[in-house]
Amino acid sequence: MPIEFLTDEQAAAYAAYRGAPSRTELERFFFLDDADRKLIESKRRAHNRLGYAAQLTTARYLGVFLDDPTGVPAEVVDYLAEQLDIGDPSVLKVYGEWENTRLEHVRELRQVLEYREFAEAEAELRSWVDARAWTTGEGPKALFDAAASWLRERRVLLPGVTTLTRLVASVREAANQRLWDTLYGLLNAGQRAVLDSLLTVPPSERISELDRLRRGPVRVSGPQMKWSLQRAEEIAALGMGDLDVSAIPPRRLAELSRYGVDGKASLLRRHGDSRRLATLLATTVYLTTRAVDDALDLLEVLIATKLLAKAERETVKEKMKTLPRVERASAKLATAFQVVFDTTSELVDTDTGEVTGPAVESFEAMWERIEAVVPRHELAAAIAALFELTPPLDSDADEAWRSMLVSRFGTVRPFLKLLVAVVDFGATPEGEAVLDALKSLPDLMGRKKVGPAEIDTGLLVGSWRRLVLSAPHLEPGTVDWKAYTFCVLEQLHRMLRSKQVFAKNSSKWGDPRAKLLDGEAWEQARPTVLASLGLPGEAGEHLAARAALLDGTYREVAGRLPDNAQNVFDDDGRLHFAALEPEPEPSSLLDLRAAVNAMLPRVDLPEVLLEVLSWTGADQAFTSVTGGEARLRDLHVTIAALLVAHGCNVGYTPVIGGADALKYGRLSHVDQTYLRLATYRAANATLIEHQASIGLAQAWGGGLVASVDGMRFVVPVPSVYARPNPKFFGRRGGATWLNMINDQAAGLGGKVVAGTPRDSLYVLDVLYDRDGGKRPEMIVTDTASYSDIVFGLLTLAGFAYAPQLADLPDQKMWRIDRTVDYGAFQDAARGRVDLARIERHWEDILRIIGSIHTGAVRAYDVIRMLSRDGRPTPLGDAIAHYGRIAKTLHILRLADEPGYRRQIKVQANLQEGRHALARKIFHGRAGQLYQRYQEGMEDQIGALGLVLNALVLFNTRYMDAAVTQLRADGFDVRDEDITRLSPFVRHHVNMLGRYSFQLPDLTGGLRPLRDKNAPEEQ
């Protein structure tokens, strides 16, 4: 049984100081409260008091007592001595000379603080590790660290490192085996045979059945839609989706299925029966819903881009082609009518008031005048042309493209019957009519005559009524069932997006209402959710307090307006801000920036990654998807090479080398087995933690301000997960990486979404799904992320939402009482917040935000659910009214505090700087994303995010060392200048060419800084 999952360095660091604790750790573990002081003060001599304090706090921090007190970092000794008023911390050396005193103190502390021996808690720890391993599937290193923390928290003295590693390894192995045995036990003999057949390669084929089924659609077309539905039908026919796997923790099932989706069939065949079949079962259960997700993803983009959008584009083209004929015909008609008007109207002399009769007295005379300018046959032709080329008077703006859409029925014919048969649709009351119509479509297809009684005429809105009921080619009493089909599909598309129609056998397109906490589950979660978010069970007092805050803020800001030259109101009462003047850059800042940048060591990007991995141990987060604990030799080198390959978008070729760790086979194996979104995120969490511990990063911020913004990538290959947007992607499709960065320049996580959707739909999901770091308190976004509902949800979730409002003058400000005079804001505050509406829906509002907060439902699905056709539902409107209070407070603060505006701008600029650095890193293949599937996009962007954070951490640490060195040299280093240094510099890092993966011996942990006055190297 493999247990050697710790490196020598990690084993040596166990239960020992690894350098100086951070300031946060000092305050948490080494602060002496009254009880601590009472114990310590019983010791008379200074060295005994300091030694006793070191023993006490070390046990709290490390879980062991000190054998050698002199091994305590100087920062800890100084911190304790300061609290104990001991002027000379070096007296600790005297304490170390008296072994009997040390042993006596240890015995006393064990008794007084009630520390237990490991043997007393071993059984309890085994149960805890087993439960955690069973539910989370964490790697052995993560479980080892968690077990050590568990022991420290419960005042259990840590055992030897070998003892704890053996316990963790054995318990984790048993939990894994139990997982495989449980899933294996759900299968009968026939099902086992069916699953095993997925690993076979059929005659004349090159891939196994599993490989074939796990490949999703990539092209957007009608035949591909039919294929994707057939794939979903084939996977469902395996019958594995009907098995009850609810006893398996969802995370473990997802982890096992990810291995089955990513792993090679040949690798799966090597495993024993229980593990192999458990993996195949988890994979097919996952694919059962994923195949429906893929089909509906394709349906959504097919309708949006290949049908609706294309019909509109082609209609515009046709209009442009006919425009010259319409113009000529219109000109002739206008000329003729002008003659009619001139010759048949009475004329009035404005000077004398004399009225003159018409210029002609007969109809024939009028026609003579008309034909003198436009011959009658040309006029008739012009009228015929206009009737041919322009819609009827009672038409609407959509009729032209809808008519064009009907001509594309061949696109949807192949898959309509399958769509209804394969996807188990459901609907809300508002969507039932559309769903019933969808289910009736197969019965209408191919028939020569369909009567009005056979369709739902209530769905025929706008020009659809004419196209379906009154098409020119129809026989009396019949309808155009093709036009009716597209009428239904157009409404189905809209209702799928708003979740009024949903798929019961889909995860992504399912009913979010079914996922909301309800009944007993909500009652159990409710107290914890309300306490966590600081929300009351009853809305009355809370809303009254919010109303009072809004009223008071209005009055305070209005009172200070005369002295605030930044605000201007136009004639319509709309608020405008004067542009923020750029902060001047004093010479001291320019000098400091130049000196620090000149001192940074010149390195290749792979060296940056290897060095950061050596500092942080982040490579330990990359665990095998197979669950095995054995580590490959020089695995960190292979991981660094793959991070360069993916993060720089250059592929394997530039990183392949002669060393075993850099050979193609090794790279391919590690890529498939160790690198995936979960391990990227775990490694990123380590980098975020280290970034927060650096003094320079702490000078930039406390990690409580964050921003979310999108970075766009062109996807030049066929993909269902790319969407068109000519502004960002030209003639190609593309995807957006919504990523979050805090004020310490650490990327906290992100999400890849198709195309360029409104960021507001995803902001909450990105916030709740961060990789690590402190939970931000203030969230900065651009205007595209703004909506009243999002303002409400973010405020309810405990975030201070601070979007940049580029369209500020058009923003409505809101008040509670219309009768109150708010001075200059009187016209701007033209909206009224309905507190009664919020209070009526308060319990449902709490249930919505509680479901998002606990992860029961995605915020994206909730926001879609709360809006229909661009209009909020009653519940969505109540949340929007709640959000309008926070929105108005935000606008008032923008008006009153230039520093608040500047803080938002600084954070937004920080995000732009990160994206600029990301573009430089992701330079290969013109910076385009060549991944067809969403998982591939997420993995590659995960690599880019990790490389970004590693380079920022490298820069921050060396810049911090440079600042320290400059101060020691007497350089003019000012605190206000330090806060304006940027970690996104890249002049010293080579990202191009073939790469070296050799890390030099770093004596002291860092490379030597360069001489700030040295000439630039060529």
Side-chain angles (χ1 to χ4, degrees):
M1 179 172 54
I3 62 170
E4 298 301 329
F5 52 81
L6 297 181
T7 65
D8 292 341
E9 293 79 7
Q10 290 170 334
Y14 170 73
Y17 282 103
R18 293 169 289 177
S22 67
R23 185 69 189 180
T24 301
E25 290 173 326
L26 283 175
E27 293 171 352
R28 178 182 176 187
F29 295 101
F30 298 92
F31 177 78
L32 303 175
D33 59 22
D34 292 344
D36 296 334
R37 290 175 180 274
K38 185 176 180 180
L39 288 172
I40 296 167
E41 292 302 325
S42 65
K43 314 305 170 191
R44 290 180 298 170
R45 299 180 184 276
H47 64 270
N48 283 337
R49 293 202 307 277
L50 188 55
Y52 193 88
Q55 291 283 14
L56 185 155
T57 53
T58 297
R60 194 153 58 201
Y61 180 57
L62 296 179
V64 294
F65 290 110
L66 291 166
D67 290 330
D68 179 12
T70 60
V72 178
E75 291 83 355
V76 171
V77 178
D78 292 343
Y79 186 68
L80 294 174
E82 181 182 356
Q83 296 179 76
L84 297 173
D85 295 325
I86 296 175
D88 182 12
S90 66
V91 298
L92 185 63
K93 296 178 182 178
V94 179
Y95 177 78
E97 296 172 358
W98 298 91
E99 179 68 8
N100 290 336
T101 301
R102 184 187 68 81
L103 294 175
E104 180 183 337
H105 287 177
V106 168
R107 285 193 294 270
E108 181 181 335
L109 284 169
R110 281 185 178 182
Q111 181 179 2
V112 172
L113 300 179
E114 299 180 348
Y115 272 93
R116 294 186 288 163
E117 293 294 337
F118 174 74
E120 301 175 39
E122 182 176 359
E124 188 181 354
L125 175 63
R126 281 184 176 274
S127 297
W128 182 85
V129 173
D130 177 74
R132 182 154 179 158
W134 170 253
T135 56
T136 68
E138 290 177 331
K141 178 60 167 59
L143 283 175
F144 179 86
D145 291 341
S149 296
W150 185 92
L151 292 169
R152 283 193 290 266
E153 290 170 3
R154 287 156 182 80
R155 297 189 179 184
V156 179
L157 295 175
L158 296 186
V161 64
T162 303
T163 300
L164 192 56
T165 54
R166 288 183 181 277
L167 183 149
V168 167
S170 62
V171 172
R172 182 174 182 271
E173 182 70 18
N176 285 338
Q177 191 62 53
R178 187 164 78 253
L179 170 69
W180 304 329
D181 291 344
T182 302
L183 287 170
Y184 180 81
L186 297 176
L187 300 168
N188 58 38
Q191 291 168 328
R192 293 169 189 169
V194 167
L195 290 176
D196 266 334
S197 70
L198 296 178
L199 299 178
T200 62
V201 179
S204 74
E205 297 291 338
R206 300 179 60 185
I207 60 173
S208 69
E209 288 294 282
L210 178 62
D211 288 328
R212 181 177 63 83
L213 291 176
R214 61 190 178 184
R215 291 183 179 178
V218 293
R219 296 187 179 276
V220 181
S221 66
Q224 187 85 156
M225 183 67 206
K226 179 181 179 181
W227 174 86
S228 67
L229 288 168
Q230 290 172 335
R231 168 181 175 248
E233 186 177 42
E234 185 177 357
I235 294 172
L238 296 175
M240 304 305 161
D242 298 329
L243 295 176
D244 183 9
V245 294
S246 59
I248 307 299
R251 183 171 173 180
R252 299 305 311 275
L253 199 66
E255 180 188 64
L256 203 56
S257 67
R258 182 65 186 263
Y259 176 38
V261 168
D262 293 342
K264 292 182 179 180
S266 58
L267 181 61
L268 294 175
R269 281 195 291 267
R270 298 175 192 168
H271 296 309
D273 288 350
S274 63
R275 182 175 182 180
R276 182 184 70 255
L277 290 167
T279 303
L280 290 171
L281 172 57
T283 304
T284 51
V285 168
Y286 166 76
L287 288 176
T288 301
T289 56
R290 179 54 193 264
V292 177
D293 287 349
D294 289 341
L296 291 178
D297 282 339
L298 177 54
L299 177 67
E300 191 272 331
V301 70
L302 175 67
I303 293 176
T305 62
K306 296 295 185 180
L307 294 176
L308 300 181
K310 191 168 185 178
E312 291 187 35
R313 290 196 303 270
E314 291 181 355
T315 300
V316 171
K317 289 180 181 178
E318 290 299 317
K319 285 183 178 180
M320 294 302 294
K321 291 179 182 178
T322 61
L323 185 59
R325 291 181 60 195
V326 171
E327 288 177 339
R328 288 194 297 270
S330 299
K332 291 178 180 180
L333 280 178
T335 302
F337 185 79
Q338 185 67 48
V339 173
V340 173
F341 188 81
D342 291 343
T343 58
T344 60
S345 300
E346 293 181 337
L347 303 176
V348 180
D349 189 321
T350 55
D351 293 330
T352 65
E354 181 180 356
V355 179
T356 306
V360 297
E361 297 181 354
S362 66
F363 184 73
E364 291 77 8
M366 180 191 70
W367 266 109
E368 287 180 6
R369 298 249 186 136
I370 293 174
E371 290 196 273
V373 292
V374 183
R376 186 176 298 209
H377 70 277
E378 291 186 12
L379 193 58
I383 293 173
L386 288 178
F387 273 121
E388 175 191 350
L389 301 174
T390 60
L393 289 176
D394 60 347
S395 176
D396 61 22
D398 299 325
E399 182 163 346
W401 67 261
R402 284 173 172 169
S403 299
M404 183 73 69
L405 190 63
V406 175
S407 68
R408 301 185 60 81
F409 185 76
T411 302
V412 301
R413 180 193 295 273
F415 66 79
L416 270 178
K417 291 183 179 180
L418 267 177
L419 178 65
V420 175
V422 172
V423 182
D424 184 12
F425 284 110
T428 65
E430 296 85 352
E432 286 179 355
V434 172
L435 180 54
D436 291 341
L438 176 69
K439 292 180 177 179
S440 72
L441 292 181
D443 296 332
L444 306 180
M445 291 176 59
R447 293 173 51 186
K448 293 184 178 179
K449 295 182 180 180
V450 176
E454 298 179 79
I455 66 171
D456 185 350
T457 56
L459 297 178
L460 304 179
V461 295
S463 52
W464 281 124
R465 177 168 290 276
R466 176 196 299 279
L467 294 172
V468 173
L469 300 178
S470 306
H473 64 277
L474 293 178
E475 294 184 19
T478 62
V479 301
D480 187 338
W481 58 268
K482 292 183 180 179
Y484 179 68
T485 296
F486 279 106
C487 171
V488 173
L489 286 177
E490 183 192 354
Q491 297 186 57
L492 171 69
H493 178 253
R494 185 176 68 252
M495 290 195 167
L496 274 173
R497 291 169 62 87
S498 65
K499 307 299 183 181
Q500 291 171 274
V501 174
F502 49 85
K504 299 176 184 177
N505 55 344
S506 168
S507 173
K508 182 176 179 180
W509 295 92
D511 182 11
R513 299 160 194 80
K515 300 177 184 178
L516 294 176
L517 295 174
D518 196 13
E520 184 178 349
W522 169 233
E523 291 304 320
Q524 290 180 352
R526 191 174 187 273
T528 304
V529 168
L530 298 189
S532 175
L533 299 178
L535 295 171
E538 300 294 332
E541 291 185 9
H542 174 70
L543 294 179
R546 298 290 292 172
L549 175 62
L550 180 61
D551 177 73
T553 306
Y554 261 126
R555 296 176 188 275
E556 291 177 14
V557 176
R560 288 192 287 266
L561 272 180
D563 301 323
N564 191 340
Q566 293 286 315
N567 302 313
V568 177
F569 291 88
D570 60 23
D571 294 339
D572 296 324
R574 302 188 308 168
L575 176 62
H576 298 258
F577 294 153
L580 279 174
E581 293 294 330
E583 284 191 281
E585 294 191 335
S587 58
S588 60
L589 170 61
L590 299 176
D591 293 342
L592 176 64
R593 184 183 293 150
V596 169
N597 289 347
M599 295 171 71
L600 297 178
R602 294 188 178 277
V603 290
D604 286 346
L605 183 60
E607 297 177 50
V608 170
L609 298 176
L610 289 171
E611 188 166 343
V612 168
L613 294 180
S614 73
W615 297 341
T616 64
D619 55 300
Q620 296 298 315
F622 291 95
T623 56
S624 172
V625 73
T626 66
E629 287 82 358
R631 306 284 292 181
L632 297 171
R633 183 184 298 275
D634 293 330
L635 178 61
H636 65 290
V637 176
T638 310
I639 288 171
L642 289 169
L643 289 176
V644 171
H646 297 320
C648 293
N649 204 26
V650 295
Y652 288 174
T653 301
V655 301
I656 291 176
D660 289 341
L662 298 174
K663 290 183 177 178
Y664 177 84
R666 168 74 169 264
L667 291 168
S668 178
H669 170 74
V670 172
D671 198 356
Q672 295 181 58
T673 311
Y674 287 83
L675 270 63
R676 56 195 184 277
L677 187 60
T679 55
Y680 283 129
R681 296 185 59 178
N684 199 36
T686 303
L687 301 189
I688 295 167
E689 180 183 353
H690 277 75
Q691 178 78 4
S693 68
I694 301 173
L696 182 57
Q698 294 167 5
W700 291 332
L704 299 178
V705 178
S707 54
V708 179
D709 194 19
M711 183 175 173
R712 321 295 181 186
F713 293 90
V714 173
V715 181
V717 294
S719 174
V720 174
Y721 303 101
R723 296 288 191 277
N725 187 321
K727 177 181 177 182
F728 294 102
F729 311 131
R731 300 178 62 183
R732 304 283 191 175
T736 298
W737 178 35
L738 280 175
N739 59 101
M740 175 168 51
I741 178 176
N742 67 10
D743 54 4
Q744 294 178 333
L748 303 183
K751 185 178 185 66
V752 179
V753 295
T756 56
R758 285 185 62 87
D759 297 353
S760 59
L761 298 173
Y762 295 97
V763 166
L764 259 174
D765 288 326
V766 173
L767 288 170
Y768 271 109
D769 202 27
R770 67 187 187 280
D771 297 344
K774 294 180 181 177
R775 185 180 192 267
E777 295 178 356
M778 177 176 166
I779 308 302
V780 175
T781 67
D782 60 18
T783 303
S785 297
Y786 159 76
S787 78
D788 289 346
I789 289 178
V790 171
F791 239 122
L793 290 174
L794 277 164
T795 305
L796 288 163
F799 297 103
Y801 189 28
Q804 301 179 85
L805 300 176
D807 54 349
L808 176 68
D810 297 324
Q811 294 292 335
K812 184 189 293 185
M813 298 179 70
W814 298 79
R815 58 166 71 208
I816 309 297
D817 187 348
R818 291 188 186 277
T819 64
V820 178
D821 184 0
Y822 289 134
F825 291 106
Q826 194 66 13
D827 292 333
R830 58 189 184 276
R832 178 180 173 274
V833 174
D834 188 346
L835 296 181
R837 183 175 307 183
I838 303 172
E839 191 163 7
R840 282 197 305 272
H841 291 276
W842 187 247
E843 185 61 24
D844 285 334
I845 290 173
L846 293 179
R847 195 162 66 91
I848 287 281
I849 196 61
S851 299
I852 294 173
H853 186 69
T854 57
V857 66
R858 293 191 307 169
Y860 170 86
D861 292 329
V862 169
I863 294 170
R864 282 289 192 192
M865 181 186 73
L866 293 172
S867 298
R868 296 172 188 163
D869 300 331
R871 297 185 299 274
T873 64
L875 176 57
D877 195 39
I879 294 174
H881 272 265
Y882 186 86
R884 286 162 185 159
I885 299 175
K887 169 192 169 182
T888 305
L889 289 169
H890 171 58
I891 294 175
L892 289 170
R893 190 174 178 189
L894 289 172
D896 195 44
E897 300 178 30
Y900 179 59
R901 291 174 60 198
R902 195 171 298 281
Q903 182 184 20
I904 293 172
K905 184 64 176 175
V906 166
Q907 183 62 32
N909 289 342
L910 198 66
Q911 184 104 46
E912 291 177 7
R914 185 171 193 255
H915 285 177
L917 180 57
R919 289 290 180 202
K920 291 296 182 181
I921 295 173
F922 199 76
H923 63 269
R925 293 192 278 189
Q928 297 179 341
L929 191 58
Y930 278 78
Q931 300 290 339
R932 298 178 184 274
Y933 299 105
Q934 187 174 19
E935 289 84 356
M937 294 180 185
E938 289 176 340
D939 286 349
Q940 185 164 10
I941 297 302
L944 173 60
L946 192 63
V947 174
L948 256 176
N949 268 8
L951 181 49
V952 168
L953 175 58
F954 179 90
N955 286 345
T956 305
R957 187 166 181 187
Y958 275 99
M959 292 169 71
D960 184 70
V963 168
T964 301
Q965 182 63 51
L966 289 171
R967 275 188 167 139
D969 294 342
F971 193 91
D972 182 16
V973 178
R974 303 179 184 181
D975 291 343
E976 61 270 23
D977 292 338
I978 288 176
T979 63
R980 299 178 66 181
L981 294 175
S982 170
F984 301 123
V985 292
R986 53 185 179 269
H987 64 280
H988 59 298
V989 181
N990 172 46
M991 302 179 192
L992 304 174
R994 297 188 71 89
Y995 303 97
S996 168
F997 290 88
Q998 292 185 347
L999 188 64
D1001 183 20
L1002 302 177
T1003 305
L1006 289 178
R1007 301 166 186 267
L1009 296 171
R1010 299 176 67 242
D1011 183 351
K1012 67 179 184 296
N1013 298 316
E1016 284 293 319
E1017 298 177 6
Q1018 297 299 319

